[in-house]
Amino acid sequence: MLQERKILLIIGGGIAAYKSLELLRLLRSAGAKVRVVLTSAGCEFVTPLSASSLSGDKVYTDLFSLTDEAEIGHIQLSRDADLVIVAPTTADLLAKIATGQADDLASTLLLATNKPILLAPAMNVRMWLHAATRRNVERAKLDGCFFIGPGEGSMACGDFGPGRMTEPLDILNAAANLMDRDLDKGSAAKSLPLEGKKVIVTSGPTHEPIDPVRFIANRSSGRQGHAIARAAAQAGADVVLVSGPVSIPPPVGVQLICVETAKEMLAAVQQSLPADVFIAAAAVADWRVERIEASKIKKDKNGLPVLKFIENPDILAEVAASGEARPPVVVGFAAETDGLLANAQAKLTKKACDLIVANDVGVGSDVMGGLDNIVHIISRDKVESWPRLSKDLVAEKLVRHISLLLSNGDK
Ligand code: C5P
């Protein structure tokens, strides 16, 4: 997908900048033509000479360079590319992108471009988790930027947590996937694949109360389901997002129904039918407590409490079995710790859905609550495995896959 593609690679000023040289090498080996812009902080970590040796082209650093401006104006530089990659995206660059600042070459190009922007953040974990950065990420996403990572792990500064730049090979895959789509925002607007279609998405966990202050839940963040709702809305669909309790904001342009329990989620979905597509991305609690205590269970009243569980309704299976009201495309998820593909295939049959998106949530996987996902798309006759991608890209690819199913009538 990258053969002959023009990539503008902006290298920000962070220790991860050394990995961007490897990304540059990989992009070139994949056949892309890469132009490099180094921020002034980026020049402190890698030199223009090393970047230019790898890109085979001159490296741009200065907004007010008369020679550069005479050769290729900065607006032209931002428009010439098919894709802009910012790696590493530092907290500072992200803030500039989110607020539309244009006080150096990199930020000016990012404001002037009309091409997709892929951001690979890298920063200290505290900076990444700071409320200001959280706002900037959401703002940049709403403005249409794509994110890959950051990953989690130990960092150069000694901290541990999210903030490491995604590995170059994964950024390369994400770039190839973006190139796989209709890249021109203008032409995307002309032919939105889900225009006129209604899509219901469930997302997040459910909370099953035990007493007025306690509940049973799971680690779902709602990121994947929310990203799918966003991607479906961007593809032109009328989206109803039925969400359990999450701490992330809803995407713009979707109808949000907030629920707590599985029973409430089922009722909200049923009320929202009919639809063309149902995507069950929620991590619904399989069981609820049979008897919810009206008062807080006291710690030392009668020794340890014994909770009796009963099964929750299976929303996906019920929707798939809803006869005339069944949406033409019903998609489920299978988060498994063992026997991923076999369990997911069994779920496809048992729940009578058209697709199962299977992901491994076993030990060592950072899928639950994380920003990336590795999924397998299982239909009745085949399994398609996708590389590690950000949840946003998984959402986009999935929405495209579903649009094709709908238009081909082929499930
Ligand atoms: O929990 P399980 O692995 O069976 O979930 C598989 C799929 O079924 C997921 O898409 C999930 O959203 C859906 N599901 C549901 N209602 C449940 C349990 C699971 O819709 N009670």
Side-chain angles (χ1 to χ4, degrees):
M1 285 319 299
L2 290 170
Q3 195 69 39
E4 292 299 310
R5 291 296 197 166
K6 293 190 212 152
I7 311 281
L8 184 67
L9 174 62
I10 297 178
I11 304 182
I15 184 62
Y18 79 92
K19 289 200 215 169
S20 305
L21 293 181
E22 171 64 1
L23 173 63
L24 170 53
R25 196 189 63 75
L26 290 171
L27 286 165
R28 290 290 310 279
S29 327
K33 293 183 175 160
V34 189
R35 269 211 167 113
V36 178
V37 170
L38 272 173
T39 64
S40 58
C43 291
E44 301 289 331
F45 291 89
V46 294
T47 67
L49 182 61
S50 41
S52 138
S53 311
L54 288 165
S55 73
D57 190 7
K58 71 170 288 183
V59 167
Y60 299 80
T61 53
D62 192 359
L63 181 58
F64 299 111
S65 158
L66 283 177
T67 7
D68 290 355
E69 206 55 35
E71 284 169 13
I72 175 172
H74 62 265
I75 300 291
Q76 185 61 24
L77 191 56
S78 76
R79 304 271 167 93
D80 229 20
D82 296 312
L83 172 70
V84 183
I85 303 178
V86 188
T89 305
T90 59
D92 175 58
L93 263 173
L94 179 61
K96 283 182 173 165
I97 293 166
T99 51
Q101 284 183 56
D103 61 356
D104 62 6
L105 182 61
S107 54
T108 304
L109 296 179
L110 285 161
L111 197 60
T113 189
N114 57 354
K115 296 297 165 26
I117 299 175
L118 175 62
L119 303 178
M123 64 193 77
N124 168 271
V125 56
R126 299 273 149 247
M127 292 166 83
W128 175 249
L129 295 175
H130 193 285
T133 306
R134 307 283 80 234
R135 281 197 299 274
N136 291 339
V137 169
E138 286 313 316
R139 185 71 257 167
K141 277 188 183 169
L142 291 177
D143 291 343
C145 292
F146 298 94
F147 280 78
I148 171 100
E152 223 174 87
S154 51
M155 315 188 71
C157 55
D159 277 351
F160 186 90
R164 275 162 70 119
M165 190 170 91
T166 300
E167 291 308 315
L169 192 56
D170 294 328
I171 301 177
L172 179 85
N173 280 328
N177 274 298
L178 274 174
M179 290 290 92
D180 200 12
R181 327 164 327 131
D182 182 2
L183 288 174
D184 181 340
K185 285 177 189 161
S187 73
K190 274 181 228 142
S191 58
L192 292 172
L194 289 181
E195 189 88 66
K197 303 289 182 198
K198 180 169 172 187
V199 176
I200 304 173
V201 182
T202 66
S203 182
T206 61
H207 285 184
E208 308 297 335
I210 297 171
D211 66 18
V213 297
R214 303 182 179 98
F215 58 82
I216 293 165
N218 58 61
R219 294 184 200 283
S220 169
S221 64
R223 282 202 180 101
Q224 187 62 82
H226 278 50
I228 292 169
R230 178 187 298 115
Q234 281 171 352
D238 224 344
V239 179
V240 180
L241 172 62
V242 183
S243 175
V246 293
S247 57
I248 55 172
V252 279
V254 309
Q255 186 198 333
L256 175 70
I257 305 180
C258 294
V259 297
E260 293 245 333
T261 65
K263 282 205 306 187
E264 287 169 9
M265 190 172 268
L266 175 64
V269 168
Q270 283 173 334
Q271 275 159 24
S272 306
L273 288 170
D276 299 284
V277 181
F278 175 58
I279 306 172
V284 184
D286 291 318
W287 312 282
R288 66 179 184 277
V289 174
E290 184 173 41
R291 206 180 107 96
I292 303 167
E293 295 297 334
S295 312
K296 184 181 170 191
I297 304 172
K298 298 304 287 176
K299 194 154 60 176
D300 45 13
K301 203 163 166 216
N302 293 315
L304 294 176
V306 177
L307 302 177
K308 184 169 176 217
F309 290 100
I310 51 171
E311 206 162 323
N312 264 332
D314 192 311
I315 303 163
L316 175 61
E318 292 216 12
V319 170
S322 53
E324 293 218 328
R326 186 194 194 277
V329 177
V330 175
V331 181
F333 273 68
E336 301 287 344
T337 54
D338 309 281
L340 180 63
L341 294 184
N343 276 319
Q345 260 146 349
K347 238 164 242 184
L348 181 82
T349 315
K350 186 168 163 227
K351 304 201 185 199
C353 38
D354 305 304
L355 283 186
I356 284 278
V357 182
N359 53 11
D360 192 339
V361 290
V363 183
S365 140
D366 55 1
V367 167
M368 286 298 251
L371 296 174
D372 295 346
N373 213 347
I374 301 174
V375 302
H376 311 270
I377 308 296
I378 296 168
S379 54
R380 260 160 239 142
D381 51 359
K382 64 174 187 279
V383 175
E384 207 180 296
S385 296
W386 294 350
R388 184 185 187 94
L389 295 169
S390 71
K391 288 182 177 174
D392 289 333
L393 279 175
V394 168
E396 284 218 7
K397 262 175 89 78
L398 182 64
V399 162
R400 249 184 308 139
H401 196 96
I402 292 170
S403 320
L404 288 177
L405 288 188
L406 264 182
S407 57
N408 295 343
D410 141 42
K411 297 185 275 183

